[in-house]
Amino acid sequence: MSRLLDELDTVSRRRLLTLAGAGAAGLFAPPLLGRGALAQPVFADYPFQLGVAAGDPQPDGFVIWTRLAPEPLALGHGMPSQPVRVEWEVASDQNFATVVRKGEAVARPELGHSVHVELAGLQPARPYWYRFMAGKERSLSGRAATTPLAGADVQRVRFGVAGCQHYEQGLFTAYRKLAEEELDFIFCYGDYIYEGRGSRLNNSARGPSANPRQYLDGEVYSLDDYRRRYAQTKMDPDLQAAHAAAAWFTIWDDHEIDNNWVSDLDQDGTPPAIFKLRQQSAMQAFYENTPLRPSALPSGPSLQLYRRAAFGRLLELNFLDTRQHRSDQACGDRWNTVCPDIERARTEVLGARQERWLLDGLSASQARWKALAQQIMVMDLDRNPGPEYTANLDSWAGYRAPRTRLLSHIRDRRISDVVVLTGDEHQNFAGELHLDGRNPGPRPIATEFVATSISSAGDGQDQRPDMVRIQAANPQLKFNNSQRGYLLCDVDRERWRSEFKVLDRVSVPDGALSTRIKLAVAAGDPRIVPA
Ligand code: FE
Ligand code: CA
């Protein structure tokens, strides 16, 4: 429960108590946090240039987020070096005619003047609108919906899956399109920022091309570096529109910290004690810029990211962290190769605790659909068909033992209707999961949909020439495409439908969106079929 100074007027206080019952009294925390915070700051420029966001909805509320930054790209983001009071309002209508909750939060300099307000006492399964005020300024409003009550007989859930948004490599048109969909929520699988700079595209379909945009800085290391990278990314109006349209469940992948990091190891062999300092800065900036629950506030180079959410008895989502608790990549993490190391038994993707939590949760789930919403591909595709099997060593395929533990648990406990949602690859894939993709059994164990990228890798093409050969050699892979876009999932009790939305271009504004393919999984049968 957040300890916020609430100054509700009598009407909304009475209304809140009606909504939430006597338990709501605990929301009115001691009036300590607001003291000493600047109440009427005068800003050099508009302080809400990074937009607003909501996240981690539950049946009785969600987190609302903003970050005061009148000069988003300047050191100190144009804010005084002191705490500043921010007011917030939540309404049951778009015009804020009926404000159901309001209060104050403190934007602290230690946290980049971000605020994470945990709302409670709201009604389940309905939309709300929220906004912030600071000094004489007011933010635009955002919309977010609470989730249905646990055990509710939910008929349908519709959500978007997006991530891998390299600011330099393409425009965020896909986010503008995603904002126009009416969604229950958006799952972001990470790579919200990229830590490097200046990787030139070599767009094989149309020849080499310059990046449409550039990051301001070189590779980011310090807290101020990461903050500025988030600021530059979050100033994008299409991204802001997607945040304002629905609540997000956000996880990180590698580039929020460093390419292909796992545990306390980076890819360059930096001493772990030194890499941890960078991780600490990156994790703090991630928290500051993401609508996470305050319980995710990092402590040193550690942040509790994996968590669960449910939509009644229809859908349970397990949001995973396949980076922080993972063993080092096998075989030196060379690209698309393989060595006996991938079979080593004492290896982890989730770490022992998270793996236990996931497997126990899958066994206990009463939901029709059990989703693993995570980063790296579970399909063990042969990436270079020939005499020897080759794997993406940064994916589950490079970790045979934990991959086998996960899939054999699902098979042996007869857990049906498990769908894996994945990012990271910068391509669209749909495929069926077997214990060993090289020798698939008669019946798959689960299904995987891999969403492409919002912008990473640039315009792309329908299918890369090398992927034609890879798809032919991997019969469990049913669909592949290399354009930019997002995935729409439309789930009811009988079917899970996945619609792959692609853009013709992200190198120029106003790319045209189309549905590349609609695929489905029927309840009780993990095979991929046309929708
Ligand atoms: Fe990526
Ligand atoms: Ca990645």
Side-chain angles (χ1 to χ4, degrees):
M1 194 61 63
S2 64
R3 293 168 55 235
L4 296 167
L5 171 63
D6 270 316
E7 289 186 349
L8 294 169
D9 61 51
T10 319
V11 174
S12 57
R13 175 184 279 262
R14 195 180 301 130
R15 187 180 173 88
L16 170 74
L17 292 173
T18 309
L19 284 174
L27 292 173
F28 304 106
L32 296 171
L33 292 183
R35 297 273 161 80
L38 200 57
Q40 288 296 326
V42 177
F43 298 112
D45 206 335
Y46 185 57
F48 296 108
Q49 293 181 51
L50 303 182
V52 299
D56 279 37
Q58 290 181 356
D60 71 335
F62 40 81
V63 175
I64 56 173
W65 171 96
T66 194
R67 200 183 136 211
L68 301 179
E71 293 169 6
L73 304 175
L75 192 62
H77 43 278
M79 287 295 288
S81 296
Q82 67 186 101
V84 170
R85 280 162 68 173
V86 180
E87 294 171 80
W88 52 268
E89 288 180 337
V90 178
S92 56
D93 65 296
Q94 196 166 1
N95 300 320
F96 289 81
T98 308
V99 172
V100 296
R101 295 279 278 121
K102 63 187 211 175
E104 286 185 6
V106 179
R108 298 184 177 283
E110 296 93 328
L111 289 174
H113 292 99
S114 61
V115 295
H116 299 71
V117 179
E118 245 175 341
L119 302 173
L122 302 180
Q123 293 173 346
R126 61 147 297 156
Y128 288 94
W129 287 262
Y130 60 92
R131 63 188 178 189
F132 297 90
M133 287 74 66
K136 295 196 177 337
E137 305 289 346
R138 191 166 75 192
S139 75
L140 297 178
S141 65
R143 176 192 178 281
T146 48
T147 60
L149 287 174
D153 185 18
V154 176
Q155 297 301 310
R156 187 180 178 198
V157 176
R158 199 162 165 272
F159 62 96
V161 180
C164 284
Q165 48 197 57
H166 200 303
Y167 180 87
E168 296 190 314
Q169 294 184 351
L171 306 177
F172 291 173
T173 316
Y175 270 132
R176 192 167 75 241
K177 305 293 186 184
L178 191 56
E180 292 165 6
E181 310 272 2
E182 290 215 353
L183 301 171
D184 292 304
F185 67 92
I186 291 168
F187 163 52
C188 176
Y189 48 77
D191 285 0
Y192 192 99
I193 59 161
Y194 283 73
E195 81 287 5
R197 187 203 154 175
S199 48
R200 280 288 169 117
L201 287 171
N202 191 354
N203 188 330
S204 55
R206 299 189 176 92
S209 59
N211 288 330
R213 308 192 280 198
Q214 288 214 321
Y215 282 133
L216 290 163
D217 306 291
E219 183 149 345
V220 292
Y221 288 93
S222 72
L223 176 56
D224 283 324
D225 294 345
Y226 282 103
R227 279 178 178 163
R228 194 157 110 126
R229 183 129 307 176
Y230 278 99
Q232 191 180 6
T233 304
K234 290 182 84 71
M235 287 174 80
D236 183 284
D238 295 336
L239 175 58
Q240 289 191 15
H243 276 296
W248 288 34
F249 290 102
T250 306
I251 56 174
W252 60 33
D253 190 17
D254 50 339
H255 291 286
E256 282 83 356
I257 291 154
D258 187 39
N259 183 51
N260 283 13
W261 74 280
V262 293
S263 184
D264 55 4
L265 307 167
D266 73 1
Q267 60 181 353
D268 306 315
T270 303
I274 292 174
F275 181 56
K276 280 180 182 174
L277 298 174
R278 183 185 191 183
Q279 281 184 305
Q280 191 166 329
S281 297
M283 289 180 185
Q284 179 173 342
F286 173 76
Y287 174 79
E288 289 176 358
N289 289 281
T290 305
L292 294 172
R293 298 256 164 198
S295 57
L297 180 74
S299 173
S302 165
L303 184 153
Q304 171 60 43
L305 192 63
Y306 66 84
R307 58 205 192 272
R308 197 169 275 138
F311 286 74
R313 283 182 293 147
L314 180 61
L315 170 65
E316 190 166 84
L317 296 132
N318 299 276
F319 301 99
L320 305 184
D321 181 350
T322 62
R323 291 283 169 197
Q324 194 174 187
H325 313 290
R326 200 204 299 186
S327 321
D328 199 6
Q329 288 95 346
C331 324
D333 196 16
R334 283 163 293 141
W335 178 247
N336 287 359
T337 175
V338 90
C339 70
D341 235 18
I342 67 165
E343 306 284 357
R344 68 203 193 284
R346 292 173 60 84
T347 186
E348 306 280 352
V349 172
L350 302 173
R353 257 180 78 180
Q354 182 181 193
E355 184 176 307
R356 193 74 260 151
W357 167 88
L358 175 63
L359 299 189
D360 289 348
L362 288 173
S363 297
S365 179
Q366 300 291 313
R368 165 59 51 88
W369 299 99
K370 278 86 44 186
L372 274 56
Q374 52 101 55
Q375 298 88 1
I376 50 169
M377 189 186 277
V378 180
M379 258 183 295
D380 52 349
L381 299 179
D382 188 343
R383 302 287 181 136
N384 185 15
E388 281 190 44
Y389 168 76
T390 59
N392 173 0
L393 295 171
D394 188 50
S395 77
W396 284 84
Y399 297 79
R400 306 301 301 184
R403 186 182 179 280
T404 299
R405 289 198 297 270
L406 171 64
L407 292 176
S408 56
H409 179 87
I410 295 169
R411 183 196 60 185
D412 298 346
R413 304 293 175 99
R414 301 179 187 279
I415 301 169
S416 61
D417 307 314
V418 176
V419 175
V420 180
L421 298 171
T422 303
D424 183 55
E425 295 277 347
H426 305 172
Q427 293 192 73
N428 287 308
F429 296 88
E432 297 166 352
L433 296 174
H434 298 268
L435 271 195
D436 184 354
R438 293 162 282 182
N439 299 293
R443 183 187 164 83
I445 296 167
T447 316
E448 182 171 27
F449 296 105
V450 181
T452 181
S453 60
I454 289 289
S455 59
S456 304
D459 289 339
Q461 57 192 298
D462 185 57
Q463 193 171 41
R464 294 187 341 215
D466 61 316
M467 291 306 303
V468 177
R469 204 165 61 88
I470 290 173
Q471 188 170 357
N474 291 275
Q476 75 274 38
L477 174 58
K478 305 301 179 189
F479 169 68
N480 163 250
N481 159 278
S482 300
Q483 288 170 292
R484 310 288 71 82
Y486 55 88
L487 183 64
L488 278 185
C489 299
D490 191 341
V491 181
D492 62 29
R493 291 201 68 81
E494 285 72 46
R495 283 163 93 78
W496 176 304
R497 294 174 185 79
S498 286
E499 180 175 353
F500 289 88
K501 292 282 200 178
V502 297
L503 285 164
D504 62 345
R505 298 230 189 167
V506 294
S507 55
V508 293
D510 301 319
L513 187 79
S514 61
T515 294
R516 176 59 185 78
I517 197 168
K518 286 187 195 179
L519 299 170
V521 185
D525 184 350
R527 288 174 301 179
I528 290 175
V529 293

